Amino acid sequence: MLRKTLKLIMRARVLFFVLAFLSLPHISIAASLYFSPNSSTVTVGNIITLKVLVNTGEVNINNAEGVIQYPTDLLDVISINKSSSVFSLWVEEPNFSNILGRITFNGGVANPGYNGSSGTVTSIVFKAKKQGQASILFSDGAVRKNDGLGTNILGSKTSATIIIKDTK
């Protein structure tokens, strides 16, 4: 009798947890902005290309924007290329200031949007100026869900590090 009661209690607990889990709202993975490669080494005077990528978290998006900071004493931007971008519409063309150490972009795509884990936003070509460790980071950003409301689903912004070695 005690054994039957314990079995019934265990079944009730399992059923409770299963129902509680199924009643939770669907939680989607947040989007992210990141660089590739996220770490690299270059010598003074040489160039390196970093891709700015978006991971949509398995959700269709129609826009991403960002502000990227970099140290002007260590790096200069030579060019920015958007030819391989998943975005075809630009609210703000990718641009940079070697005086401020800032890169900005604001791109979009028409319906049904973009959905993927490594969509190229833009590529940045840097020239190494002097020895040191340069951190390239997003100081601001947004990734907007293609829901007609402009819902920002950006959950993370990952930085990159460039180690610049002397030519000696």
Side-chain angles (χ1 to χ4, degrees):
M1 181 73 164
L2 182 61
R3 188 177 262 169
K4 279 187 177 182
T5 305
L6 289 175
K7 278 186 178 180
L8 285 173
I9 291 172
M10 289 302 290
R11 285 184 185 165
R13 285 183 178 174
V14 169
L15 181 62
F16 171 79
F17 285 112
V18 168
L19 290 175
F21 177 77
L22 292 175
S23 68
L24 291 174
H26 175 69
I27 300 171
S28 64
I29 301 170
S32 61
L33 290 169
Y34 64 102
F35 298 99
S36 180
N38 66 350
S39 178
S40 57
T41 302
V42 66
T43 55
V44 173
N46 285 333
I47 63 168
I48 183 165
T49 301
L50 290 185
K51 284 186 177 184
V52 177
L53 301 170
V54 62
N55 179 340
T56 68
E58 300 179 5
V59 174
N60 283 16
I61 65 163
N62 62 4
N63 173 267
E65 67 177 290
V67 178
I68 300 167
Q69 298 292 145
Y70 61 94
T72 58
D73 60 325
L74 299 175
L75 297 169
D76 269 340
V77 173
I78 303 300
S79 65
I80 299 178
N81 185 336
K82 62 180 176 122
S83 65
S84 298
S85 181
V86 297
F87 299 117
S88 54
L89 308 168
W90 292 94
V91 177
E92 180 184 356
E93 294 276 336
N95 62 67
F96 64 92
S97 167
N98 282 323
I99 295 169
L100 299 174
R102 185 170 62 203
I103 300 162
T104 57
F105 64 87
N106 190 340
V109 63
N111 274 332
Y114 170 74
N115 185 337
S117 61
S118 58
T120 299
V121 176
T122 189
S123 295
I124 308 163
V125 179
F126 288 102
K127 183 175 182 178
K129 293 166 67 172
K130 72 175 189 177
Q131 184 177 351
Q133 182 173 315
S135 293
I136 296 91
L137 53 94
F138 289 95
S139 60
D140 197 12
V143 176
R144 292 189 178 79
K145 185 176 180 179
N146 189 19
D147 62 359
L149 302 173
T151 304
N152 185 4
I153 59 169
L154 181 62
S156 67
K157 304 174 295 225
T158 306
S159 62
T161 302
I162 299 174
I163 296 171
I164 305 166
K165 295 190 173 188
D166 202 352
T167 55
K168 297 178 187 177

